C-alpha cells in the first residue's frame, strides 16, 4: 500500500507494534523442552489480547497462528506438539497479523541457548545484511539493486541466498505489489521503490541451498541442497531518506 494520510500511517504503526511485540515475547518465551505448538499457543494468547488475527491463517488457511521453523526447516514451519525445542537449535519465528484492516509482517531467527551447533554466525550475518539493505532503501532505488546488495554481502561472508523466497509489499493485505523483492539481482525486475509505499524486507541467508522446496506437509520448506537458513524481516515505509521501520520494537537488532 501507499501511505496517503495520517490515519493509514497510524493503522500501520498499530499493526506493526502488535506483530513486533508478539515476535519479541515469543522469542523470549522459547526455551528447551517446550514444543513449537506450546510456543505458538503462547503467541495465540497474545494475538487475542491485542485484538489481532493471524495473517497466514486468515489469508491462506495456515494451520497455526505463527510460522515456526527449526534447524533445517527454512520457513512456513507448522507448529506441532512433536517438535520439541533443544539447546543449540536454530529457530525462526515469523509473525504477521491483521489489525483493524491493516497488515504487518516481521520475523527473526535465533539460536536457542548456547550455540552448540555453530549457527550464531549465520544469524548475525542475516541481521547485519538486513540492516544494511534497509539503510539503502529510499524512493527511486531499484529493487534489484537491493537484491544485489543482499547477495553480495552474503557471498562476502561465505553464504548463499534463497532465490525463490522474497520480500513483498504489504498493508491492506499480506502480500501486495511489489510482490517480488528478491535477495539477488533479478535483472528482469526494473521496478523501483516508491516513496510512501509499505514493504516487508526479508533476508534469506543460507549455508548451502539456493532454493526452498516443500518438505511434504504442504507448508514447511527445506533447502534444495540441505543446510540451514536464517531469516530476518522488518516492515518499513519508504521515504526520500531513511525508511521508517514500523516493526523496530521487535528487538531483532538489539
Amino acid at each position: 500500500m501507499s501511505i496517503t494520510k495520517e490515519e493509514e500511517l497510524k493503522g500501520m504503526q498499530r499493526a506493526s507494534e502488535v506483530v513486533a511485540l508478539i515476535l519479541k515475547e515469543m522469542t523470549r518465551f522459547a526455551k528447551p523442552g517446550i514444543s513449537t505448538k506450546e510456543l505458538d499457543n503462547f503467541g495465540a494468547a497474545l494475538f487475542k489480547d491485542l485484538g489481532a488475527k493471524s495473517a497466514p491463517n486468515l489469508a491462506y488457511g495456515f494451520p497455526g497462528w505463527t510460522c515456526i521453523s527449526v534447524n533445517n526447516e527454512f520457513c512456513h514451519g507448522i507448529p506441532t506438539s512433536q517438535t520439541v525445542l533443544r539447546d543449540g537449535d536454530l529457530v525462526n519465528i515469523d509473525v504477521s497479523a491483521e489489525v483493524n484492516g491493516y497488515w504487518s509482517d516481521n520475523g527473526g531467527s535465533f539460536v536457542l541457548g548456547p550455540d552448540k551447533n555453530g549457527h550464531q554466525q549465520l544469524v548475525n550475518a542475516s541481521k547485519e545484511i538486513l540492516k544494511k539493505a534497509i539503510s539503502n532503501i529510499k524512493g527511486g532505488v531499484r529493487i534489484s539493486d537491493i537484491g544485489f546488495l543482499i547477495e553480495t554481502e552474503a557471498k562476502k561472508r561465505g553464504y548463499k541466498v534463497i532465490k525463490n523466497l522474497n520480500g513483498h509489499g504489504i498493508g491492506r493485505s499480506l502480500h501486495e505489489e511489489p510482490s517480488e523483492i528478491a535477495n539477488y539481482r533479478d535483472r528482469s525486475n526494473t521496478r523501483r521503490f516508491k516513496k510512501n509505499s509499505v514493504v516487508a524486507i526479508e533476508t534469506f541467508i543460507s549455508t548451502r541451498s539456493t532454493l526452498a522446496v516443500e518438505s511434504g506437509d504442504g507448508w514447511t520448506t527445506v533447502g534444495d541442497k540441505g543446510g540451514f537458513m536464517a531469516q530476518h524481516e522488518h516492515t518499513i515505509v519508504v521515504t526520500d531518506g531513511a525508511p521508517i521501520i514500523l516493526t523496530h520494537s521487535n528487538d531483532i537488532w538489539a
Side-chain angles (χ1 to χ4, degrees):
M1 71 177 286
S2 182
I3 301 292
T4 60
K5 48 191 175 184
E6 185 69 19
E7 170 192 329
E8 292 171 335
L9 178 58
K10 287 181 178 177
M12 283 307 305
Q13 286 173 328
R14 173 58 184 160
S16 299
E17 287 166 1
V18 166
V19 296
L21 175 64
I22 295 172
L23 176 60
K24 180 167 66 174
E25 291 303 318
M26 287 182 69
T27 301
R28 288 177 176 171
F29 184 77
K31 53 185 174 289
I34 70 167
S35 69
T36 54
K37 181 64 175 173
E38 289 175 271
L39 181 56
D40 190 56
N41 286 342
F42 174 80
L46 292 172
F47 271 91
K48 292 171 183 175
D49 288 347
L50 296 165
K53 296 176 182 176
S54 164
N57 178 267
L58 186 61
Y60 303 115
F62 179 76
W65 288 81
T66 64
C67 301
I68 305 175
S69 308
V70 182
N71 293 326
N72 67 317
E73 297 174 344
F74 278 19
C75 65
H76 306 151
I78 300 172
T80 71
S81 56
Q82 289 74 43
T83 304
V84 177
L85 298 178
R86 294 178 172 82
D87 270 334
D89 279 349
L90 175 62
V91 182
N92 177 269
I93 304 174
D94 196 310
V95 179
S96 51
E98 182 271 332
V99 183
N100 298 325
Y102 295 94
W103 302 62
S104 190
D105 195 357
N106 69 166
S109 296
F110 59 95
V111 176
L112 188 65
D115 185 26
K116 295 165 62 174
N117 302 309
H119 296 311
Q120 191 62 52
Q121 186 175 343
L122 175 64
V123 169
N124 292 345
S126 177
K127 289 182 182 182
E128 291 162 8
I129 293 168
L130 180 65
K131 196 168 195 174
K132 187 164 187 176
I134 287 177
S135 71
N136 279 274
I137 293 173
K138 62 182 178 180
V141 169
R142 286 184 184 272
I143 290 174
S144 62
D145 286 349
I146 296 301
F148 179 67
L149 182 157
I150 291 170
E151 185 174 31
T152 299
E153 291 296 322
K155 285 180 175 178
K156 282 181 186 176
R157 295 164 170 81
Y159 298 119
K160 303 176 185 297
V161 298
I162 302 301
K163 296 193 173 184
N164 61 337
L165 297 174
N166 304 288
H168 51 90
I170 193 169
R172 289 295 190 177
S173 61
L174 181 56
H175 291 100
E176 299 179 347
E177 293 298 328
S179 59
E180 295 189 359
I181 304 174
N183 276 206
Y184 67 99
R185 174 171 277 166
D186 179 358
R187 296 185 183 279
S188 68
N189 188 351
T190 60
R191 303 177 72 175
R192 298 174 184 268
F193 288 101
K194 295 180 180 179
K195 180 184 177 182
N196 297 326
S197 64
V198 184
V199 292
I201 305 298
E202 310 183 57
T203 50
F204 301 101
I205 311 301
S206 165
T207 58
R208 292 185 192 171
S209 296
T210 56
L211 294 174
V213 295
E214 203 176 283
S215 66
D217 64 11
W219 294 101
T220 309
T221 69
V222 296
D224 64 327
K225 296 179 181 177
F228 301 92
M229 187 195 80
Q231 177 257 18
H232 291 87
E233 175 183 21
H234 272 303
T235 292
I236 70 171
V237 179
V238 180
T239 74
D240 280 334
I244 301 168
I245 302 173
L246 295 171
T247 48
H248 66 91
S249 61
N250 60 24
D251 285 355
I252 64 173
W253 288 336

